[in-house]
């Protein structure tokens, strides 16, 4: 993969754990802060906003690209998850061709490093370096509910792999998107509970022009499903407006969102209003909440949310 | 605690997480390696051997002193566990008065820092900074069996607090005693699985002149119990000799150790022969094993082990 080793805009591609750590340590020793953006590859403009934030917060940015088998259950869509791991620089090139949205800083980005999948594998039955892995991190309350209900091994996989990335990259800052709201809260809690010296930043959901939350899975939607999926963001926005106009009962709000998505042709996995901090289910809105939705369109499961801060 | 802040031999006592991390980072930036010796205080000569090893392996040594509530079940001996947390420097002074065993290097030790208990608490129902803690690390296979059977929350508490210490102290090397054999294996596995950049060193069991494994709990034994407790090390040594003379059947070896301890007045919690690496129970000895024992004498639970490498 000699081509990818070069990348563009001074980017370096690193594929070895020891090399990654040396790279980070030499930068930090020189005094430059270091920010990490963990991704599962297939980079889209939502990721770009994370990288932009990373570059604001630190002198150096590292983007990890890793489709983590540890967070997919055997029945889930690991195999169909869009991946460009075979060419880690594809995502960067894609950005390079988006002059209107890519800031000038992007092409002059000092250094960005991509870790590739197999080196941080922690799924024992796949053999290789991860063989025998048996250490798992659980954030016991926050991992329950929402996506944790329908994806029971998801968050232990996320927390464990993110901790590995922290120990390999040793960043000062890590940037997540709040589209994965529960993930963001879980990582914040893990960092606090385990005393990682890392600032966890969460960025607002980045949306397509019609409101659909950006996701690597969107490319899997048929044109019809793509249109139907707008029911998520549209109904969430309506719910937010309703709360701003005085509605406090969650039951009606949830029924309305579920109805809208179902009417459009989707299948709701959950539509839940929870406390922004502890993700506990809320019945009547009296403090800041987040309205979280997961829904299927065809074979694609999408998630989205809106924060509603009174 | 101004007195403790001074300590002896250039020792510093650090009680704040942020201060600890700054101290470590400034030393590591200057190029000196840093070794951590995690303890639960009440330091004895066994701990001293760990510190000596730490000083061989790194320019700076940090000793943490923390009686971890997270690894004691409600029914266990947290309250009676011998503690000198009220004067963290007591253990060091004790060493200072042991000219025959304390190496000259000890008193000229560059820096040693002690973290104190409450700052790294992770037991939520005690309130304070640890309130709401909900993140736990489990090493799922190794934590089962041996001490994990009779102390079900023990190793998740150990692994979690050790990970916190790693993130606070950021050492290059950590030194454990192999008296806590299962703990040592669990930490090695955790470090490998979570990619901590730390070398985990295990040191041989340090014994009193009559063979009793050194333990902070030994001071809780009555003179009679102290004498009875010798049955552990004596019977383990006999078992080792028997294996060296050709015995391979574990059943007889375990029965013999159990009998000896029971005859002496002890109550065996477990007497188990397991694989040195994965701690799986062995029936016939064909590869390196460790014979592990836990036994009660009065209200005191002691553990010991011998490695038997054919």
């Amino acid at each position: 993969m000699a081509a990818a080793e070069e990348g563009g805009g001074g980017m370096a591609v690193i594929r070895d754990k020891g090399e990654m750590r040396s790279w980070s340590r030499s930068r930090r020793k020189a005094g430059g802060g270091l920010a990490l953006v963990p991704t599962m590859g297939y980079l889209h403009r939502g990721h770009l906003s994370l990288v932009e934030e990373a570059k604001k917060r630190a002198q150096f940015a590292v983007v990890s690209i890793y489709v983590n088998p540890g967070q997919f259950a055997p029945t889930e869509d690991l195999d169909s998850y869009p991946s460009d791991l075979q060419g880690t620089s594809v995502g960067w090139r894609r950005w390079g061709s988006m002059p209107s949205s890519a800031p000038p800083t992007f092409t002059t980005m000092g250094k960005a490093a991509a870790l590739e999948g197999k080196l941080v594998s922690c799924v024992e039955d796949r053999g290789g370096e991860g063989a025998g892995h048996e250490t798992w991190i659980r954030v016991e309350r926050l991992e329950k509910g929402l996506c944790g209900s329908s994806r029971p091994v998801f968050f232990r996989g996320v927390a464990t792999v993110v901790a590995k990335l922290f120990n390999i990259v040793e960043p000062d800052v890590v940037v997540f998107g709040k589209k994965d709201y529960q993930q963001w809260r879980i990582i914040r809690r893990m960092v606090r509970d385990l005393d990682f010296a890392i600032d966890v930043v969460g960025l607002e959901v980045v949306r397509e022009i019609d409101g659909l939350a950006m996701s690597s899975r969107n490319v899997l939607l048929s044109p019809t499903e793509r249109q139907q999926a707008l029911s998520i963001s549209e109904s969430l926005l309506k719910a937010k407006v309703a709360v701003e106009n005085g509605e406090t009962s969650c039951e009606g709000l949830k029924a309305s969102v579920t109805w809208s998505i179902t009417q459009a042709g989707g299948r709701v996995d959950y539509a839940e209003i929870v406390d922004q901090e502890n993700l506990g289910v809320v019945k009547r809105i009296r403090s800041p909440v987040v309205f979280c939705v997961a829904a299927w369109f065809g074979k694609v499961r999408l998630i989205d949310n809106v924060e509603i801060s009174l």
Side-chain angles (χ1 to χ4, degrees), chain A:
Chain A
M1 239 181 80
E5 305 300 329
E6 295 168 16
M11 182 178 79
V13 176
I14 299 175
R15 302 161 67 88
D16 176 80
K17 288 196 267 191
E19 197 185 326
M20 181 69 248
R21 191 179 283 124
S22 303
W23 188 95
S24 288
R25 290 191 173 184
S26 68
R27 265 66 186 177
R28 293 181 68 195
K29 203 167 186 176
L34 199 149
L36 169 66
V37 181
T39 81
M40 298 215 297
Y42 215 81
L43 308 172
H44 52 66
R45 197 155 45 81
H47 294 112
L48 179 57
S49 73
L50 305 181
V51 176
E52 284 167 17
E53 185 69 21
K55 286 167 54 53
K56 275 184 211 156
R57 302 224 172 209
Q59 192 176 347
F60 298 99
V62 172
V63 176
S64 63
I65 297 180
Y66 179 57
V67 179
N68 173 19
Q71 68 191 53
F72 287 82
T75 55
E76 291 182 352
D77 65 343
L78 173 60
D79 291 337
S80 65
Y81 191 87
S83 169
D84 56 10
L85 289 182
Q86 297 310 309
T88 47
S89 63
V90 171
W92 301 99
R93 293 211 196 98
R94 195 179 306 137
W95 292 346
S97 65
M98 292 195 308
S100 60
S101 59
T105 49
F106 174 67
T107 52
T108 60
M109 193 158 155
K111 287 282 177 186
L115 274 170
E116 208 213 26
K118 62 184 187 300
L119 296 170
V120 288
S121 174
C122 65
V123 177
E124 58 191 271
D125 60 5
R126 299 210 170 202
E129 197 178 339
H133 182 102
E134 58 174 303
T135 306
W136 297 99
I137 298 177
R138 318 228 26 173
V139 182
E140 295 192 348
R141 279 189 298 267
L142 288 173
E143 74 174 20
K144 292 188 174 66
L146 302 178
C147 286
S149 300
S150 49
R151 307 185 72 187
V153 301
F154 182 65
F155 288 115
R156 74 164 204 175
V158 170
T160 302
V161 163
V162 168
K164 286 166 72 72
L165 288 170
F166 286 174
N167 286 335
I168 294 166
V169 178
E170 300 183 342
D172 304 292
V173 181
V174 63
V175 186
F176 284 94
K178 287 203 272 187
K179 178 174 151 274
D180 300 292
Y181 202 87
Q182 190 173 13
Q183 168 179 281
W184 172 60
R185 282 290 178 202
I186 282 173
I187 298 301
R188 278 179 76 92
R189 185 78 225 185
M190 176 182 82
V191 161
R192 177 185 154 172
D193 285 354
L194 297 184
D195 287 300
F196 281 101
I198 299 172
D199 186 17
V200 183
V201 175
L203 291 198
E204 301 310 316
V205 180
V206 178
R207 300 181 181 281
E208 303 288 353
I209 198 124
D210 57 8
L212 183 70
M214 287 199 186
S215 165
S216 301
R217 288 186 174 91
N218 290 352
V219 297
L220 301 174
L221 295 165
S222 71
T224 306
E225 289 160 356
R226 170 73 182 71
Q227 195 59 31
Q228 294 171 338
L230 292 177
S231 58
I232 303 179
S233 52
E234 285 170 359
S235 62
L236 282 176
L237 183 61
K238 273 185 202 157
K240 184 180 162 78
V241 171
V243 175
E244 286 164 356
N245 287 333
E247 179 62 75
T248 63
S249 169
C250 295
E251 197 178 336
L253 292 164
K254 294 194 285 190
S256 174
V257 163
T258 300
W259 185 85
S260 298
I261 294 171
T262 308
Q263 278 297 105
R267 182 164 57 83
V268 172
D269 180 3
Y270 62 79
E272 198 57 86
I273 299 172
V274 298
D275 182 88
Q276 283 186 15
E277 283 289 332
N278 61 34
L279 306 187
V281 172
V282 169
K283 290 195 171 180
R284 191 162 288 280
I285 300 173
R286 293 194 188 87
S287 55
V289 296
V290 53
F291 196 153
C292 298
V293 166
W296 292 88
F297 292 87
K299 292 182 174 174
V300 184
R301 184 175 177 277
L302 300 176
I303 62 173
D304 196 354
N305 69 78
V306 286
E307 287 182 305
I308 307 175
S309 303
L310 296 180

